Amino acid sequence: MAEPLKAMYNEGFLRSFGKKLLSVYSGFDLEGFVTTAMKDPWEELELKGRMRRITETLGAFLPRRYEDALEILFAIDKECVGFPYLIFPDFVEVFGGSDEHWELSMSALERFTPKSSAEFAVRPFLLRDPQRMMAQMLRWSQHPDEHVRRLSSEGSRPRLPWGQALPMFKRDPSPVLPVLEQLKADSSLYVRKSVANNLNDIAKDHPGVVIDMVRRWKGVNAHTDWIVRHGCRTLIRKANPEVLALFGYAGQEDETPLAVSAILSVEPAELQIGGSCELAYALNVREGDEARIRIEYGIDFVKAGGKTSRKLFLLSDKTVPGGTRLTGKRTHRWADLTTRRHYAGEHKITLLVNGREAASTELVLKPQRKGDLEL
């Protein structure tokens, strides 16, 4: 089993980091730092809990004056590169949030983000003063360093995973849009991925805003086209007809089915939780010009209370000539995951072509045998 990510913060890391600090700050108590950071309940702390524990311990063992503490971190930051050193921007978040430290904290975040990332640390600043902070983000969006430009987008995502939510941008994303406009044709794929993810976040609350942007942006620059396609992935999965039409998926403006004589089968049709089945599909694309085809299957998963909830799985997304016959198979596993628990019952499985149901079948999921649970 892979080691949990939190394990990167261990005694070895703390001692190595502490020695770097001691090399530039003779008053640093290395043993006290390690002991205090790892006091109970260290073993129970998850990744962000350990990071915050280290940050708070730094605050206790570095000079009390924020400016002096940062000078020490500045003296070693060139050799502190990588994910574990998120503790540097985290230090700014915890100790540098007052108005008197604003300019220094912004300089520190700009300096630290290329070595790890300040995308989480900027969010409390956004929550406290979104107008001032978004002005800073807009300046960062024009920075020569791709890491700083990415920070302006990634840090302002309304729904950043692992990060504090930004409810004001969920309600009204308009303050974020000038940053995305600035970055919409960025030369860095690292930045473009962030812009696309930001758009995808916005689309979950304000699809119309993103659709309007796609209409304005699409077809002008190849980099921008990649961003809008990736940024609309949730809307495409939801078969939003406007978005499907914008990206050339056929059959959005007429009632004629794109897929004719579609077939979907499942083998076996009964199995226990933890087992797997094979799905097979075949469909004929209607005659005519070539067409962009997105084939998915949806499973109406039975929930604990007996209701169902559909989840979609992509099978194929490509352009094919009219009249093409498409076939394929997919193994689907019914083992419980951390993100999905299975329940016994009849599960409807549906084949969707460009968002429209083309065929369906059913599978009966049975409880896992007690003996299997113990294996």
Side-chain angles (χ1 to χ4, degrees):
M1 181 180 293
E3 198 172 38
L5 195 55
K6 70 176 185 178
M8 70 180 182
Y9 289 133
N10 53 33
E11 183 176 352
F13 169 81
L14 290 170
R15 290 193 175 279
S16 174
F17 179 45
K19 288 177 182 177
K20 292 182 176 69
L21 291 166
L22 185 59
S23 71
V24 296
Y25 175 40
S26 60
F28 186 71
D29 179 1
L30 174 57
E31 293 301 324
F33 170 71
V34 174
T35 300
T36 303
M38 296 190 70
K39 67 181 181 182
D40 289 339
W42 172 262
E43 291 300 327
E44 285 70 45
L45 294 176
E46 296 302 325
L47 174 65
K48 293 188 74 173
R50 289 191 180 191
M51 181 177 71
R52 183 53 56 89
R53 169 72 69 78
I54 296 169
T55 297
E56 291 172 344
T57 306
L58 269 181
F61 283 82
L62 291 180
R64 294 292 183 182
R65 188 169 176 267
Y66 177 64
E67 294 88 341
D68 295 337
L70 270 187
E71 281 300 320
I72 293 170
L73 296 182
F74 287 163
I76 64 169
D77 68 335
K78 286 186 179 179
E79 53 185 306
C80 296
V81 178
F83 190 72
Y85 292 102
L86 283 169
I87 53 180
F88 279 62
D90 195 57
F91 187 89
V92 177
E93 175 186 338
V94 173
F95 297 105
S98 66
D99 285 343
E100 66 176 304
H101 295 142
W102 171 272
E103 295 297 339
L104 178 59
S105 291
M106 293 303 104
S107 296
L109 292 174
E110 181 178 315
R111 175 169 176 159
F112 292 150
T113 201
K115 302 173 184 69
S116 53
S117 179
E119 65 201 63
F120 306 114
V122 297
R123 298 174 84 80
F125 291 91
L126 280 164
L127 289 165
R128 282 193 295 269
D129 193 344
Q131 185 173 358
R132 186 181 189 186
M133 193 62 202
M134 284 311 300
Q136 178 65 55
M137 301 291 247
L138 187 58
R139 289 191 289 272
W140 279 339
S141 72
Q142 303 167 58
H143 198 278
D145 190 308
E146 65 175 350
H147 297 86
V148 181
R149 297 198 306 277
R150 176 186 178 271
L151 174 61
S152 68
S153 169
E154 197 71 5
S156 62
R157 285 179 58 182
R159 297 171 174 271
L160 178 67
W162 291 11
Q164 288 178 277
L166 300 177
M168 66 283 194
F169 294 157
K170 289 183 182 180
R171 292 190 299 268
D172 176 15
S174 58
V176 181
L177 303 187
V179 168
L180 305 187
E181 287 281 355
Q182 178 66 36
L183 300 173
K184 67 176 182 288
D186 199 275
S187 59
S188 167
L189 178 60
Y190 188 48
V191 176
R192 296 198 300 273
K193 286 181 178 178
S194 177
V195 176
N197 288 336
N198 202 320
L199 282 178
N200 191 54
D201 281 2
I202 294 171
K204 293 173 182 178
D205 300 300
H206 302 277
V209 170
V210 173
I211 291 170
D212 287 344
M213 294 176 76
V214 173
R215 293 187 190 280
R216 289 189 291 106
W217 287 7
K218 190 172 180 292
V220 177
N221 180 285
H223 289 338
T224 309
D225 285 348
W226 185 91
I227 287 172
V228 295
R229 178 64 177 76
H230 194 59
C232 285
R233 61 188 183 274
T234 294
L235 295 178
I236 291 172
R237 283 199 297 268
K238 290 184 175 180
N240 181 287
E242 289 182 84
V243 169
L244 291 179
L246 280 169
F247 288 102
Y249 290 95
Q252 302 307 308
E253 298 177 353
D254 58 63
E255 297 300 323
T256 306
L258 180 64
V260 294
S261 64
I263 299 171
L264 176 66
S265 63
V266 58
E267 180 63 37
E270 293 187 5
L271 77 162
Q272 295 174 9
I273 295 172
S276 61
C277 66
E278 184 176 80
L279 300 170
Y281 69 91
L283 62 93
N284 294 317
V285 179
R286 72 187 182 202
E287 296 290 342
D289 297 332
E290 67 177 19
R292 181 74 179 264
I293 304 291
R294 181 180 178 87
I295 306 174
E296 300 165 290
Y297 67 96
I299 299 180
D300 294 340
F301 286 104
V302 175
K303 310 303 287 184
K307 295 183 178 180
T308 60
S309 177
R310 176 171 290 187
K311 180 172 175 57
L312 298 180
F313 302 86
L314 182 63
L315 290 166
S316 178
D317 191 332
K318 59 186 177 182
T319 299
V320 300
T324 300
R325 179 174 175 79
L326 298 171
T327 62
K329 293 182 179 181
R330 171 70 60 85
T331 298
H332 186 93
R333 294 175 174 81
W334 296 81
D336 286 340
L337 307 171
T338 55
T339 54
R340 185 188 314 125
R341 181 174 174 80
H342 296 89
Y343 297 91
E346 189 174 86
H347 290 66
K348 180 181 179 182
I349 307 176
T350 304
L351 184 72
L352 298 104
V353 180
N354 289 4
R356 295 186 179 182
E357 295 190 5
S360 65
T361 188
E362 291 176 348
L363 176 143
V364 176
L365 193 61
K366 296 182 177 181
Q368 198 167 28
R369 289 195 299 261
K370 185 177 180 180
D372 293 336
L373 289 171
E374 295 172 351
L375 293 177

